[in-house]
Amino acid sequence: MKNYNIALIPGDGIGPEVVAEGVKVLKSIEKMDSRISFSFQDFPWGCEYYLEHGKMMDDDGIEKLKAFDAIYLGAVGYPGVPDHISLWDLLLRIRKEFDLYVNLRPITLLNDSLTPLKDKTKKDIDFLVIRENSEGEYAGAGDWLFKGKPEEVVLQTGVFSRKGTERIIRYAYEEARKQKKTLTSISKGNALNYSMVFWDEVFDEVGKEYPDVETYSYLVDAASLYFVSDPERFEIVVTSNLFGDILTDIGAAITGGMGLATGANVNPEKEFPSMFEPVHGSAPDISGKEISNPLAAIWSVSQMMDFFGEEKWGAAILDSIKNILEETNQLTPDLGGKASTPQVGDRFTEILKENAISKGIIAK
Ligand code: NAI
Ligand code: MG
């Protein structure tokens, strides 16, 4: 019996609604598969916590989280708390302290009807973006000089270390080799004449160790165009923190929007817990109405199962999302249905069970 210890940070707004459905899925797996069990601990951190305690998480919050195998996060952010505080003091703090330097964002079209791209189908849009998640343009380095004066100057410095650049690129090559897929690096060496020239050099250098991996290299502006016009070019993509942030939102747009986009923040060495979260925010406009779409959060559970080495369950969850997307009446309003958040979760667990039986993961 393998037990996985999961820290829950549901957060604000619709975060708790969608995390509850993800937990429902995990509990259903535990019930179906006698080899696996989960333990959960809930942490109340987020913006409401901030308004009450003046901080986003406990002072020893990072210490508390260290013992877990994974962190499952909903969303943080709420009107009244500045976004740079909620982001930097919780999410980015966890990403940095736990060295979650790999961000995995699947850009996979699960149902043809979900893409706004004319003539593109599931076989055209199926790739993985590996985003650098620990430094680069989001290192937080810089200065604000002569604040408020006419000579005011701000500096926002990109930080690209050899260690940081090499490890993310190496991770991407390993993934491309493992999956027997092409690898595309996205950078901007013509304009960013230090950081991105360095990035391109490291990409070529590390590539010498992977002669079996077919590679491509695009400038980020051209790549943005190809994401929309020619997504079938991409299989595995590696890119910097800022470029990855922006490109993966294009990726979300071509695969069905925020209700479906997911991301894993991974420390591959497993020195610290990795964090799994839907990409969307706390959606204050719809929170409390039970109409939030839990499928992105459920996709995060699929990524978590892959990360645990339970790939059969990871794949079964993804297939079940494909199946439920065929049943429009079982979906939330953002996908054209009338179902509530918990109704989607309930129907989902039924489908997952059917799939687990038909795939032979569990006995009938
Ligand atoms: P958002 O993702 O919360 O919402 C954007 C739009 O998408 C809204 O119309 C919302 O109703 C809709 N939407 C999002 N998730 C949905 C779901 N699961 N089902 C159905 N509809 C969904 O982004 P927004 O409005 O820019 O930000 C709101 C708050 O969330 C801000 O405080 C922001 O800082 C925070 N935020 C937090 C993130 C995180 O915790 N990772 C990521 C992005 C934003
Ligand atoms: Mg983003």
Side-chain angles (χ1 to χ4, degrees), residues 20 23 70 109 117 122 138 208 213 234 303 320 322-323:
V23 169
L109 182 63
L117 300 181
K122 282 188 270 194
Y138 292 178
K208 294 205 171 73
V213 175
F234 302 105
Q303 286 193 298
S320 304
K322 285 182 196 161
N323 294 145

Side-chain angles (χ1 to χ4, degrees), residues 131-307:
R131 162 185 169 193
E132 205 293 319
N133 211 29
S134 67
E135 51 168 40
E137 307 89 341
Y138 292 178
D143 210 340
W144 198 313
L145 304 166
F146 314 114
K147 209 167 186 168
K149 303 217 174 76
E151 63 272 33
E152 191 166 21
V153 175
V154 298
L155 303 169
Q156 186 85 47
T157 309
V159 176
F160 290 77
S161 65
R162 174 159 287 276
K163 178 185 166 199
T165 308
E166 221 177 280
R167 68 183 179 179
I168 191 70
I169 287 176
R170 189 174 295 281
Y171 183 94
Y173 272 107
E174 285 292 330
E175 204 54 36
R177 170 177 281 171
K178 204 166 77 194
Q179 296 193 30
K180 296 194 170 47
K181 295 207 165 141
T182 65
L183 177 61
T184 302
S185 163
I186 297 178
S187 62
K188 186 72 187 174
N190 56 349
L192 298 171
N193 54 339
Y194 299 107
S195 58
M196 288 297 160
V197 172
F198 175 68
W199 176 282
D200 289 344
E201 255 181 52
V202 173
F203 185 69
D204 289 343
E205 223 175 271
V206 175
K208 294 205 171 73
E209 297 168 42
Y210 299 84
D212 50 311
V213 175
E214 190 182 331
T215 61
Y216 299 87
S217 212
Y218 297 131
L219 297 173
V220 66
D221 38 356
S224 317
L225 184 134
Y226 294 145
F227 262 49
V228 175
S229 68
D230 252 336
E232 56 272 28
R233 281 175 191 253
F234 302 105
E235 292 185 356
I236 308 269
V237 171
V238 64
T239 191
S240 70
N241 210 335
L242 165 72
F243 293 171
D245 189 8
I246 300 170
L247 285 168
T248 51
D249 270 17
I250 303 180
I254 62 171
T255 51
M258 279 305 169
L260 280 170
T262 184
N265 304 276
V266 173
N267 175 259
E269 291 75 25
K270 301 200 175 179
E271 221 178 312
F272 300 107
S274 291
M275 179 164 67
F276 300 83
E277 50 168 337
V279 167
H280 63 72
S282 54
D285 54 333
I286 58 165
S287 106
K289 297 183 186 153
E290 291 205 324
I291 54 168
S292 58
N293 182 355
L295 292 176
I298 290 175
W299 197 337
S300 303
V301 173
S302 162
Q303 286 193 298
M304 192 192 295
M305 295 308 282
D306 285 345
F307 174 76

